C-alpha cells in the first residue's frame, strides 16, 4: 500500500467575502483523497472538521508556548513554526 500522505495547506485567515470561494475550492477536491487539511481560519475548520483530519497552523498567531498549549487543548494537531531572521 502507498504510505504517502496528502496534506492541503490552507493557512490563510480569509476575509468574509473570500471564505465562500475558499470553501467551494476545497469542496471541489475529492476530500476522500486528502489525509490532512492544515488551516488557520476557523470557518475552514467548522466546514471540514468532520470530513478530514484537521491541523491547526497559524504561524502569525502561535507566537509563544502558552498559545500552543491552549490551542492543543482545542485541536488534536497543532503546528508551531519558529522562524529566526539573522541579518
Amino acid at each position: 500500500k502507498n504510505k504517502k500522505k496528502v496534506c492541503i495547506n490552507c493557512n490563510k485567515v480569509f476575509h468574509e467575502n473570500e471564505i465562500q470561494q475558499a470553501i467551494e475550492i476545497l469542496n471541489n477536491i475529492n476530500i476522500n483523497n486528502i489525509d490532512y487539511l492544515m488551516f488557520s481560519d476557523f470557518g475552514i475548520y467548522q466546514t471540514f472538521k468532520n470530513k478530514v483530519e484537521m491541523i491547526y497552523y497559524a504561524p502569525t498567531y502561535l507566537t509563544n508556548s502558552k498559545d500552543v498549549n491552549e490551542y492543543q487543548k482545542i485541536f488534536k494537531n497543532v503546528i508551531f513554526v519558529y522562524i529566526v531572521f539573522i541579518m
Side-chain angles (χ1 to χ4, degrees):
K1 184 177 176 184
N2 188 348
K3 296 184 184 226
K4 294 179 182 169
K5 300 288 183 181
V6 177
C7 178
I8 294 177
N9 184 359
C10 185
N11 68 338
K12 174 180 172 146
V13 177
F14 294 97
H15 189 270
E16 63 185 64
N17 64 359
E18 299 173 315
I19 188 73
Q20 193 56 46
Q21 183 180 11
I23 289 170
E24 288 174 17
I25 290 168
L26 291 169
N27 274 326
N28 287 327
I29 298 169
N30 185 351
I31 207 75
N32 294 324
N33 292 330
I34 306 303
D35 297 296
Y36 304 99
L37 177 57
M38 295 169 59
F39 71 98
S40 297
D41 192 292
F42 288 99
I44 298 295
Y45 173 75
Q46 288 298 323
T47 303
F48 295 99
K49 66 182 178 183
N50 295 321
K51 298 178 182 178
V52 65
E53 185 79 24
M54 305 293 289
I55 300 173
Y56 183 62
Y57 175 57
T60 58
Y61 292 143
L62 298 176
T63 58
N64 59 64
S65 61
K66 184 176 179 182
D67 289 346
V68 172
N69 292 336
E70 288 302 313
Y71 281 113
Q72 282 182 322
K73 292 176 185 175
I74 301 168
F75 305 113
K76 178 181 173 183
N77 301 302
V78 176
I79 293 180
F80 177 72
V81 177
Y82 186 72
I83 301 172
V84 176
F85 294 99
I86 299 174
M87 301 181 122

